[in-house]
Amino acid sequence: MRAYADLHLHASTENSLSELLGKAKELGYRLVGVSIPIHTPKEERERLRDACKRINLDLAFRVDLTPKSPRELLEALRAVRRRFELVSVLCLSKAVARCAARDRRVDLLNFPPHPRGRFFDRSEAELASNSLSCLEINMNCLLELRGASRARLISKLRRELKLAGKFGVPVVLSSGAKHPLTLRGPREYAALAHTLLDMGLEDALDAISETPKSIVERNREKLSPNFVAPGIRVVKVGGDCRGRSGGDT
Amino acid sequence: MPREVRRRYVALRVEGVDTVDRRTLEGAIRAAILALFGEYGLSKVEFTVIECSGENAIVRCNHNALQMLRASTATITEIRGKPAAIRIVKVSGTLKALRRKTRSLFKPVDIVKPGDDNAVPDGPKREGVKSS
């Protein structure tokens, strides 16, 4: 059975956040990414984590960066990368989009909902394919827009997904929900991506289960104190290490 | 011998409004399908609201168009001008199996026959299907 994940929930108040987390659990999500401000106190984070643990929901903290220039992005990344499990960049200009796609510290590339603000083109896809960043699609935009603007967005997203597939850029489907009534089940998002964005149903389900899960796991490993480099971690520290492995005592 | 038309029975729950009648639900789903897939899509989905009780409902659709129905119901954000959401609770190939799976959710079940707006208080009396 798939473990579904929604990496983009954000609420304005604590009450609405707890409602949102409860609804996410009810709809079958096992992992959620909650967007919080950069300077959220540690006690607040622990309280949220405990609340999620009580309802058996895995919580990952996420930060949404909206830099105006590449320099601002690099400074922000230096400040937040070791403090958050997920780093998302809302690319408001082409220069920021290019810089974010190139940087290995960025997990999710996010674009504004209006089609003219989306900079995921061929070069962007090529840069993203060489780093670790994924293309994030906020499904809430498809629910909020109506008529011609939704049609334009669907057409743009379809093109982006085709490019992402061509260059092997992983795609993540997220809700971007702010209220329980705007949150939908994982199969509904997969159905939207399958029918409107021409994604294969299995690919769409992976984009809301396996891909987000692998991003969080990779980052948790990196944030753990035992991490040395990709593929290398400290297994044991102490005097008895030599005696067990070497046999030369 | 394989059946010509295969159906899927979908149990839905409407959130955000206390009760929803068959006509309103049918109208909301039809409008969503028309907005996303047009008249051609609506003809492919071939959906009918079979039951509607309180906030729960059972909808039948063509099995090839299940994903279209899922996508369309997901885009419904308001009913009668109020913010609302339609959740798909369960999907099954037969009405009998769906009732068995959602027994706890649909109690008591009020049947609304197609074309009839008045709910019959007792359980379903359909041919070949035992009431659960």
Side-chain angles (χ1 to χ4, degrees):
Chain A
M1 197 178 160
R2 282 176 191 272
Y4 293 108
D6 181 0
L7 297 188
H8 198 188
L9 297 180
H10 55 121
S12 47
T13 62
E14 200 175 318
N15 277 349
S16 58
L17 182 59
S18 55
E19 273 177 35
L20 203 52
L21 291 171
K23 183 53 74 183
K25 175 70 188 169
E26 191 190 316
L27 291 174
Y29 292 102
R30 283 202 218 158
L31 166 68
V32 289
V34 173
S35 181
I36 54 168
I38 295 175
H39 301 294
T40 307
K42 203 176 175 185
E43 302 81 55
E44 178 91 25
R45 285 173 167 223
E46 287 307 314
R47 207 167 60 233
L48 268 175
R49 217 181 270 280
D50 286 344
C52 283
K53 211 176 268 177
R54 275 200 296 277
I55 56 171
N56 201 15
L57 190 65
D58 194 1
L59 174 71
F61 288 112
R62 157 195 177 122
V63 65
D64 291 318
L65 302 175
T66 47
K68 290 187 181 81
S69 66
R71 179 191 277 267
E72 211 175 288
L73 170 66
L74 296 175
E75 278 170 12
L77 281 173
R78 220 170 291 139
V80 301
R81 182 62 272 190
R82 303 289 303 172
R83 287 159 54 195
F84 288 88
E85 284 148 308
L86 292 162
V87 175
S88 156
V89 178
L90 181 66
C91 305
L92 298 173
S93 69
K94 196 174 251 187
V96 170
R98 296 284 189 267
C99 185
R102 212 181 298 127
D103 205 304
R104 291 173 71 88
R105 290 170 294 181
V106 176
D107 298 316
L108 301 163
L109 293 171
N110 212 333
F111 296 92
H114 48 274
R116 283 189 183 180
R118 303 190 71 92
F119 305 103
F120 194 84
D121 52 11
R122 205 184 163 84
S123 324
E124 183 83 1
E126 208 167 342
L127 286 170
S129 68
N130 295 325
S131 69
L132 296 170
S133 40
C134 304
L135 173 67
E136 184 182 42
I137 294 176
N138 269 338
M139 301 303 281
N140 226 23
C141 306
L142 289 174
L143 309 186
E144 283 167 1
L145 296 174
R146 287 281 178 274
S149 48
R150 178 158 68 186
R152 274 196 295 273
L153 179 66
I154 289 171
S155 137
K156 187 81 184 169
L157 286 176
R158 213 181 283 144
R159 213 172 304 154
E160 285 179 7
L161 284 173
K162 208 172 173 184
L163 270 176
K166 193 175 174 186
F167 286 93
V169 180
V171 176
V172 171
L173 300 179
S174 308
S175 69
K178 292 176 184 170
H179 189 271
L181 280 181
T182 58
L183 183 65
R184 299 288 182 270
R187 287 185 170 273
E188 275 69 62
Y189 287 133
L192 276 168
H194 174 60
T195 52
L196 302 180
L197 309 178
D198 292 347
M199 256 179 124
L201 190 58
E202 284 301 310
D203 291 342
L205 288 168
D206 280 345
I208 202 158
S209 57
E210 298 302 323
T211 314
K213 192 179 148 207
S214 68
I215 298 170
V216 173
E217 277 175 359
R218 184 185 70 206
N219 288 341
R220 279 184 179 160
E221 196 190 332
K222 280 185 185 174
L223 291 174
S224 102
N226 295 331
F227 178 79
V228 180
I232 308 167
R233 64 188 172 97
V234 178
V235 178
K236 202 164 194 178
V237 181
D240 59 340
C241 294
R242 265 181 67 201
R244 283 204 176 186
S245 59
D248 55 345
T249 49
Chain B
M1 193 175 141
R3 273 177 286 177
E4 272 180 41
V5 184
R6 287 164 72 193
R7 308 280 193 190
R8 285 291 176 268
Y9 294 88
V10 183
L12 306 172
R13 192 175 65 242
V14 183
E15 287 181 7
V17 287
D18 297 334
T19 53
V20 66
D21 60 291
R22 179 175 170 265
R23 192 166 285 179
T24 312
L25 182 67
E26 210 167 69
I29 297 174
R30 188 183 297 118
I33 297 173
L34 274 172
L36 279 188
F37 304 107
E39 289 170 0
Y40 176 66
L42 185 63
S43 75
K44 279 181 111 178
V45 177
E46 292 181 75
F47 87 97
T48 317
V49 178
I50 298 211
E51 288 179 20
C52 200
S53 72
E55 56 182 13
N56 299 316
I58 293 180
V59 172
R60 186 182 70 192
C61 72
N62 196 327
H63 96 286
N64 288 322
L66 176 66
Q67 298 306 323
M68 286 164 84
L69 183 77
R70 267 188 196 277
S72 307
T73 53
T75 59
I76 296 171
T77 52
E78 58 175 47
I79 292 175
R80 289 195 301 249
K82 282 184 184 171
I86 295 184
R87 316 276 186 211
I88 291 186
V89 181
K90 216 81 186 171
V91 179
S92 182
T94 62
L95 193 55
K96 186 180 176 181
L98 186 72
R99 287 217 179 95
R100 194 176 60 239
K101 288 173 190 173
T102 58
R103 198 168 286 165
S104 58
L105 291 166
F106 291 86
K107 224 187 246 182
V109 178
D110 289 346
I111 287 288
V112 179
K113 290 171 187 166
D116 180 10
D117 285 341
N118 299 319
V120 180
D122 287 324
K125 299 282 184 291
R126 287 179 158 265
E127 261 180 52
V129 179
K130 288 175 192 171
S131 60
S132 51

